[in-house]
């Protein structure tokens, strides 16, 4: 057998004084997590399906000088297989079974700490109302004429004040909306993808129904395979869910049809191999969505964070006070393009810096600006959030209203 590691989550950790790599399945086909010594990271990289066990051990020895104890490689491969971390038939069968289960369920269940549906909404409402109540009176006053929002997708504990400001400002638009298009970051998505689902999203107040007619129109134009190949990502991806909960909350629990769209990464665009302005799936999706928007009062929401900087995100150096100030300054320049409604300028700024600040909201924000076209933005909150215990890694977030 030539083991091939599939796309998985790999997190550096410190365990019992040893540097380790924690391996997890982003699809959560198994709850198993595997920790391997950090020097074996090269071995994992060599598992590309072209080498059997003997070739793997030989390649590892030649490239790093490491020689594995007898039976260690076989044991590791068994553990990876048990956890569905290898790209093989066993994994594909488990993924297909999970997809069937997801599609056959009455709705996509809530995955936040608020608990599974149906929870009593009282605790959730108290939590979100608490963030609203803590805002100064002059922050986030409800404003007319809003067509779009940029809302974070960080956890509420760190991002609560920014969520509250942007959703208070957008509450009138959210309440009056007859359709809401939700663009969210797909943290595991392939390059340039737009991933749909026909499942509705549950919140503490019930279910936000997915608009099947719009999803079907998109699937017809884009192709079923392209739209649904990674649909299982909707099951565990938090970005859309975090915005959907606020949407349902500010509407007082009244449902509204939504179109949840997960957006894959922009790697090839940032690297200059292609241009998102000429990416045919984006052009097609914008045309289809505009047709849907022409007959109904529509709110477009980008569930998007900004920079992810520091050792927690693979950077070699931590941020000091000056580094955090520089990150904020770079965000301010980036947000000027957003306030101008200039999707090409927004993308170009991130491309010019090779997206070294890991702005994971790039795709949802870009597509929101593309869809809304002639639009102007206004700030509705900003925060630099800690991302490690040492205070040397941060995630930055911003709220923006778009008119």
């Amino acid at each position: 057998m030539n083991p091939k590691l599939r796309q998985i989550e790999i997190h550096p950790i410190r365990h019992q004084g040893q540097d380790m790599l924690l391996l997890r399945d982003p699809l959560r086909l198994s709850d198993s997590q595997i920790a391997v010594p950090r020097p074996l990271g090269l071995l994992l990289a060599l598992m590309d399906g072209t080498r059997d066990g003997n070739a793997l051990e030989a390649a590892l020895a030649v490239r790093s000088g490491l020689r594995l104890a007898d039976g260690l490689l076989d044991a590791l491969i068994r553990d990876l297989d048990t956890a569905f971390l290898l790209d093989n038939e066993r994994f594909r069968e488990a993924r297909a079974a999970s997809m069937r289960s997801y599609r056959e369920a009455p709705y996509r269940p809530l995955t936040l700490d608020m608990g599974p549906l149906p929870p009593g909404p009282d605790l959730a409402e108290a939590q979100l109302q608490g963030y609203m109540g803590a805002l100064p009176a002059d922050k986030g006053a409800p404003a007319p004429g809003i067509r779009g929002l940029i809302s974070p997708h960080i956890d509420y504990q760190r991002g609560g004040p920014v969520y509250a400001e942007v959703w208070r400002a957008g509450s009138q638009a959210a309440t009056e909306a007859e359709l809401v298009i939700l663009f969210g970051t797909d943290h595991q998505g392939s390059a340039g993808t737009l991933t749909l689902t026909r499942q509705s999203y549950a919140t503490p107040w019930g279910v936000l129904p997915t608009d099947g007619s719009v999803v079907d129109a998109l699937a017809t134009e884009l192709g079923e395979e392209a739209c649904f190949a990674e649909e299982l990502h909707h099951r565990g991806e938090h970005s859309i869910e975090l915005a959907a909960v606020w949407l349902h909350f500010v509407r007082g629990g009244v449902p509204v049809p939504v179109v949840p769209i997960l957006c894959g990464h922009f790697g090839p665009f940032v690297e200059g191999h292609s241009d998102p302005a000429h990416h045919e799936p984006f052009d097609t999706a914008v045309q289809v969505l505009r047709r849907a928007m022409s007959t109904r009062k529509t709110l477009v929401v980008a569930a998007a964070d900004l920079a992810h900087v520091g050792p927690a995100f693979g950077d070699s150096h931590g941020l000091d006070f000056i580094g955090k100030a520089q990150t904020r300054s770079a965000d301010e320049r980036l947000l000027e393009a957003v306030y101008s409604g200039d999707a090409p300028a927004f993308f170009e700024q991130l491309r010019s810096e090779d997206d070294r600040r890991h702005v994971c909201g790039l795709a949802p924000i870009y597509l929101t600006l593309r869809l809304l076209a002639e639009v102007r933005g206004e700030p509705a909150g900003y925060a630099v959030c800690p991302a490690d215990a040492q205070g040397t890694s941060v995630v930055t977030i911003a709220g923006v209203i778009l008119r």
Side-chain angles (χ1 to χ4, degrees), residues 217-259:
L218 286 166
T220 297
E221 296 294 331
L222 296 171
E224 288 272 336
E225 176 62 24
C227 291
F228 296 101
E230 298 181 347
E231 183 187 3
L232 198 57
H233 294 186
H234 276 273
R235 183 181 66 165
E237 175 56 64
H238 62 274
S239 57
I240 289 176
E241 177 179 273
L242 286 157
V245 168
W246 275 91
L247 169 66
H248 215 172
F249 165 66
V250 298
R251 287 180 58 88
V254 177
V256 61
V258 298
V259 182

Side-chain angles (χ1 to χ4, degrees), residues 349-366:
Q349 183 166 328
L350 291 176
R351 190 206 62 77
S352 67
E353 61 180 52
D354 198 28
D355 195 25
R356 61 179 176 271
R357 295 186 304 116
H358 318 298
V359 174
C360 79
L362 194 169
I365 295 173
Y366 173 85

Side-chain angles (χ1 to χ4, degrees), residues 305-325:
D305 292 341
L306 297 180
H308 293 61
V309 189
F313 308 106
D315 294 332
S316 57
H317 301 292
L319 291 179
D320 56 13
F321 175 80
I322 294 176
K324 292 174 184 177

Side-chain angles (χ1 to χ4, degrees), residues 73-126:
L73 179 58
D74 288 341
L76 176 59
I77 291 173
R78 283 196 302 271
D79 288 345
L80 292 171
D81 187 36
T82 299
F84 302 113
L85 300 183
L86 295 180
D87 188 353
N88 56 21
E89 188 60 29
R90 186 170 177 274
F91 153 66
R92 285 185 282 276
E93 290 175 355
R95 179 179 59 186
S98 291
M99 181 69 82
R100 287 193 298 272
S101 177
Y102 169 78
R103 288 175 173 172
E104 291 169 0
Y107 45 74
R108 176 204 179 274
L110 189 68
T111 64
L112 299 177
D113 291 341
M114 294 175 189
L117 192 79
D122 294 347
L123 290 178
E125 185 158 350

